[in-house]
Structure formats: C-alpha cells, structure tokens
Amino acid sequence: MGRVFVAGSINMDVVATADRHPRVGETIAGKEVLYFPGGKGANQAVSAARLGATTTLIGRLGRDAFGAELKAFLADQGIDLGYVQETATAHSGTAIITVAEADNTIVVIPGTNALVSADDVTVVPLLKGDVAVSQFEIPLPTIAAFFRRARAAGATTLLNPAPAQKFSRELLALVDILVLNETELGLLSDTALNENTDHAGIIEAAQRLQANKSQIICVTLGKRGVLALAGNEELVVPGRIVKAVDTTGAGDCFVGALASQLADGVALREALRFANIAASICVQRMGAGPSMPTAQEVAAVIAAR
Ligand code: RIB
C-alpha cells in the first residue's frame, strides 16, 4: 500500500459568520468569530489521514500561538510532521474567511508558507506507489522540485492548482493527476466556463489544458459532481444532494480522499466516487480541517445507498 505525501500550506482560519456577505465598502454585523485549523495543504493531509492513509505533511509553521495550535491538531490526526519546520522569521499562515449563506470569501496571508523551499521537499523518502500532492499556497518552484523528486522515485504526482494562477507547461508536464474546479479550469484553459457549462464544454476545456494523453484531469463541479478526462475516456460521477453549511475545504477534502484511495490501489472511477462522497460530508459541517470525514463515515454513506 502506498503512502500520501502532501507538500503545502498550513493556516489558521479566522472565520467570521454573518447572515450575508458585506458589499465592498460596507460594514455589517456578524454573528460569531471561529478559529479552525486550515490551509489547503494541511486540509488535504487531514483528509487523507482520517481516511486511513499513512500521511506525511511537508511545510512550515511560525513560532507563535497559531503555529503551536496547528501542530497539536495535525499531530492528533496521526499525520507525520517530521518534515514540518518551525520558522522564527515569519508568522504562521493565516486565512481571514467570511462564511454567509453557506458560501465563503477568503483572504490568505501566506506567512511561513511562502518560505517552504525546494530543499524542504526533496529530502522526503518517497517510493514507488506513493502519491505526492501539492497546491498553490506554497512557491511554485518548490512544487516543481517536489514533483521531480516524486517522479524520480516512481510516485504519482497530484496537483490541485488552487488558488488558481497561470503556471508553466514545464510544471504541468510533471503532473500525473490534475484536480481543479470549473473556475480554475476556465482560467487555465482560457475558456469561458460557468456552472451551466455542459459536460462536453468542460471536457473540451480539459482537453485544451491536458499536457499529454496520459495525464488525468478531474474537474469538481460542486453539486453537479465530478467529471474526469483520463486519456480519451470520460468519467462522470453524479453529485450528492446534501444541505451545505460551509463549503470551505470541500475541494481539499476531495483531493486528500482521492490521494488516499489511489495510494491504496483503488481504481480511478471508484476513487472519484469515494472522494465525491467524502466532500459531500465535509460541506455539512463548519470549518475546514475539523470537517474532514473518517473512513467509517464515508463507508456508512456507501452502505446506505
Ligand atoms: O481551501 C480552503 C482553505 O483555503 C482554507 O482552509 C484556508 O486556509 C485557505 O487556505
């Protein structure tokens, strides 16, 4: 059985809840301030670990109160933190999040996440069968170094290019599995996509982006489920109707769950179904890191179908 290695961000999410989002320049009264462990990298690692994968997180924390809290939470999840360094020269990553009407806005202040270096990620003991996961809250050259190391070891590389930004074809070519939502796909493929774009339109955009025929592109479509392009094959996983209270971290939950299943040798179609269920559980709870489901919770949904 392979393991999951996540090189990525660790943030404290400072969440304000309100009945609605303020307009630009407007002040409104909120309801609560909540503090949740978050950061796309940490969320993905929590997701994989809670679903049973042997998981290592590579990243950086500040020597501050948020850093200590985040470390304690991540250690409690059974994640190997041997490659998480403490850095005195910057504060721990922090995200300022507003949640209203089950939707969010997020401002991320990277802090120590911006200092995760190529040297940090190339020392990890990756092996054939492992899955190396990253996202765009650490420097892109670091991700490229991590994936080169993973490729040399025979591991599978999985990139979640979020928050979306344009990136080089060289980095894209190092990716075996790309997981992104339709907004990110639209930006990266220079295609106008929205929540009403049909499957054919999404697949066309994915084909435009695909670096080579063996690259797998998984597009998460929220309530509409998941669409994947694997070689020339198209895989469709329908969405689950649930009552969402907070979608923060749902994409990360999907990525971690997918990595956990692929590391376990599960076939892509089944792994996508599993990850879709995991994300549908995550959105029914407040917060990012603590909302990730366990393997038992996903199994209960599968058993009830
Ligand atoms: O994807 C959700 C995450 O994005 C939050 O936990 C926040 O920290 C930001 O990184």
Side-chain angles (χ1 to χ4, degrees):
M1 193 199 293
R3 302 157 301 165
V4 175
F5 288 80
V6 182
S9 58
I10 312 169
N11 296 334
M12 180 60 80
D13 292 353
V14 182
V15 179
T17 62
D19 288 329
R20 66 172 178 84
H21 289 280
R23 283 182 287 274
V24 174
E26 186 189 22
T27 302
I28 62 165
K31 295 202 286 201
E32 273 182 302
V33 178
L34 305 162
Y35 295 83
F36 293 113
K40 294 185 192 303
N43 296 340
Q44 292 168 7
V46 174
S47 170
R50 284 197 176 172
L51 293 167
T54 301
T55 305
T56 298
L57 178 60
I58 307 122
R60 288 192 184 225
L61 285 166
R63 280 207 187 111
D64 46 29
F66 280 170
E69 258 186 74
L70 290 163
K71 197 169 178 180
F73 170 78
L74 293 166
D76 272 356
Q77 314 308 310
I79 298 169
D80 170 13
L81 300 178
Y83 297 92
V84 173
Q85 297 185 40
E86 279 178 20
T87 306
T89 52
H91 63 80
S92 296
T94 308
I96 307 298
I97 302 181
T98 306
V99 174
E101 296 160 318
D103 232 326
N104 63 52
T105 61
I106 305 182
V107 176
V108 181
I109 304 96
T112 44
N113 296 312
L115 302 176
V116 182
S117 70
D119 287 346
D120 296 353
V121 297
T122 44
V123 289
V124 291
L126 281 154
L127 294 173
K128 190 168 165 37
D130 292 338
V131 180
V133 179
S134 201
Q135 5 52 40
F136 279 176
E137 287 185 336
I138 59 171
L140 271 50
T142 301
I143 299 171
F146 181 52
F147 283 176
R148 265 187 229 109
R149 167 81 187 80
R151 280 270 172 96
T156 299
T157 59
L158 191 164
L159 178 67
N160 172 221
Q165 59 173 288
K166 295 270 191 182
F167 63 103
S168 68
R169 296 299 287 183
E170 286 78 15
L171 175 54
L172 184 63
L174 291 169
V175 176
D176 296 316
I177 305 172
L178 192 72
V179 179
L180 71 184
N181 64 28
E182 73 253 62
T183 311
E184 291 150 0
L185 176 62
L187 177 96
L188 296 175
S189 64
D190 290 313
T191 314
L193 298 179
N194 60 44
E195 55 187 23
N196 299 317
T197 308
D198 63 11
H199 284 182
I202 290 164
I203 289 291
E204 245 175 63
Q207 281 165 335
R208 207 164 299 139
L209 185 61
Q210 201 177 35
N212 54 64
K213 278 289 168 203
S214 57
Q215 187 171 64
I216 296 169
I217 301 196
C218 306
V219 189
T220 55
L221 303 170
K223 285 181 217 135
R224 295 201 290 155
V226 187
L227 192 54
L229 175 67
N232 291 321
E233 201 188 351
E234 295 168 26
L235 306 176
V236 181
V237 177
R240 289 188 71 229
I241 310 295
V242 295
K243 189 170 168 14
V245 298
D246 179 12
T247 57
T248 313
D252 304 330
C253 177
F254 182 91
V255 168
L258 183 63
S260 76
Q261 297 307 290
L262 295 175
D264 208 11
V266 174
L268 180 64
R269 187 186 292 275
E270 210 36 59
L272 291 170
R273 279 204 198 108
F274 185 97
N276 188 50
I277 292 172
S280 76
I281 297 172
C282 174
V283 299
Q284 297 176 65
R285 302 166 176 166
M286 278 300 295
S291 309
M292 302 301 157
T294 61
Q296 290 73 22
E297 289 174 306
V298 177
V301 173
I302 293 171
R305 281 196 303 188

